[in-house]
Amino acid sequence: YLKPVWIYPDVPSDHPHNLAITYLYKKNVMRGSEDKKTGKTLFRPEDTINRVEIIKAVLENKRQVLPTIQELKSSKDLLFTDVRPDHWFAPYVGAAKKIGIVEGTDGLYRPADQVLRSEAVKILAAAYQINLDPFRKAFELPYPDAEPSAWYNSYLAMGKKYNLLEPDQKGDINPGKPITRAEFAEMMYRLESISLAEKRGFLSGKLKRGKTGQGVPKAEIYIYSTVDGKRGELYYKTTTNNDGGFTVSLSTGSKYYIEGLLGNSISHTSIITEVQEEKTTKIELEIFPQE
């Protein structure tokens, strides 16, 4: 429902996370900072986000009321030993601790530490009070590079269900990698763009070359709504991994029009399908890329 606009010099209209950053800009969340060399305001999409910046973004996005300095001084339980009441970020840390979004370690918050991708999902799950019980019973790892019995698997399974994280070309999610500002902006945007109560299922597909049958990596997959059996508005977009495969979560009860795009080549076969709750629907697309 937003059109790409060029707000920041380092986030052009064709940037993959432009819509998310535009959405937060309009909500006055995650605004950029001035570049001392040029005097321009930059978003710095590839910079990592630390433990102060992430809760500031979450709380401002949720319009959370913050405690005053007086309240922080009178209630030591709201802070950590490395966060003083007079720190500018103390109200954010105090509010996040009070509503259970963050926890410290050995009494420390470590405000300057980078936030990992798995930790970012956990923070959002806590902030939006998402019930994780359905995701703790999963028998399969949510992503190939998730470690068995890791604390974050239920969070990653939740993130996979709602397409909050984008896997890399190998299909991995890199749970131990620091998350960037643009990636986290995308996560918040996606989470607010869906209904957590809707029923969902998975669509697993592969884009193949028409002549050889080999998978096509780094191609774009466009998923549209359908109107009278024809292509409607764009619903979701993703990218194929190294073997040409892709997996996305979609809401049930609707039919989707799916096609692949590589450069100027559009898939020879376009598929209309729907998904079933908690099941995986498999499809194949065929494309003849221009040499």
Side-chain angles (χ1 to χ4, degrees):
Y1 55 90
L2 287 174
K3 292 183 178 180
V5 294
W6 200 334
I7 297 172
Y8 300 102
D10 54 348
V11 186
S13 58
D14 60 351
H15 190 282
H17 303 299
N18 178 283
L19 287 182
I21 293 169
T22 299
Y23 170 76
L24 294 177
Y25 175 86
K26 291 181 178 293
K27 293 188 68 176
N28 199 29
V29 178
M30 287 188 76
R31 288 295 185 97
S33 57
E34 182 180 350
D35 180 20
K36 295 181 179 179
K37 293 183 179 180
T38 64
K40 296 181 179 180
T41 300
L42 303 178
F43 186 78
R44 297 180 172 83
E46 301 307 316
D47 282 5
T48 56
I49 192 169
N50 65 35
R51 285 170 57 81
V52 164
E53 295 167 334
I54 197 168
I55 60 169
K56 181 177 184 292
V58 169
L59 297 179
E60 288 183 345
N61 190 45
K62 291 178 66 64
R63 301 292 190 262
Q64 180 71 39
V65 177
L66 303 178
T68 64
I69 294 180
Q70 290 72 22
E71 290 173 331
L72 293 173
K73 290 181 178 180
S74 62
S75 180
K76 295 182 179 179
D77 292 338
L78 292 180
L79 295 181
F80 301 89
T81 55
D82 55 350
V83 180
R84 300 195 312 268
D86 58 344
H87 281 146
W88 70 265
F89 52 81
Y92 295 100
V93 176
K97 185 178 182 182
K98 182 177 181 180
I99 61 181
I101 294 179
V102 297
E103 299 175 353
T105 305
D106 298 327
L108 299 174
Y109 181 66
R110 297 182 173 86
D113 281 8
Q114 294 177 324
V115 179
L116 306 182
R117 290 165 66 85
S118 54
E119 294 171 335
V121 183
K122 179 181 179 181
I123 289 173
L124 282 183
Y128 285 82
Q129 298 181 331
I130 299 175
N131 180 18
L132 290 175
D133 288 342
F135 306 105
R136 293 191 175 100
K137 302 175 183 179
F139 295 99
E140 297 181 0
L141 293 177
Y143 294 99
D145 60 335
E147 297 180 3
S149 302
W151 65 266
Y152 52 66
N153 281 333
S154 57
Y155 294 100
L156 293 187
M158 181 275 295
K160 184 176 182 179
K161 179 176 181 179
Y162 298 115
N163 297 320
L164 298 186
L165 289 166
E166 198 71 33
D168 63 17
Q169 286 300 306
K170 295 180 180 179
D172 293 338
I173 208 64
N174 302 298
K177 180 181 178 181
I179 194 166
T180 67
R181 285 170 51 82
E183 289 171 339
F184 188 68
E186 184 72 29
M187 286 178 62
M188 286 202 296
Y189 171 67
R190 292 186 182 187
L191 190 57
E192 293 208 346
S193 299
I194 61 174
S195 169
L196 295 174
E198 66 186 11
K199 297 179 180 179
R200 301 178 73 88
F202 287 100
L203 174 71
S204 179
K206 192 164 188 177
L207 181 65
K208 295 183 176 181
R209 292 180 179 271
K211 294 181 180 180
T212 64
Q214 293 180 330
V216 181
K218 299 182 180 180
E220 294 179 319
I221 302 297
Y222 288 82
I223 301 172
Y224 301 88
S225 60
T226 56
V227 179
D228 297 329
K230 298 180 180 180
R231 186 175 72 179
E233 295 183 354
L234 180 64
Y235 179 85
Y236 190 76
K237 184 178 76 170
T238 190
T239 306
T240 58
N241 54 34
N242 286 342
D243 65 356
F246 62 93
T247 300
V248 296
S249 171
L250 301 173
S251 60
T252 63
S254 300
K255 289 187 176 182
Y256 300 95
Y257 181 101
I258 304 105
E259 65 182 11
L261 181 67
L262 182 66
N264 295 323
S265 300
I266 301 177
S267 55
H268 178 67
T269 54
S270 300
I271 294 176
I272 295 180
T273 188
E274 57 184 328
V275 298
Q276 297 180 333
E277 184 181 3
E278 304 301 334
K279 293 184 179 180
T280 300
T281 299
K282 296 184 178 181
I283 64 170
E284 286 188 356
L285 296 169
E286 189 176 63
I287 194 170
F288 293 85
Q290 295 181 3
E291 301 298 337

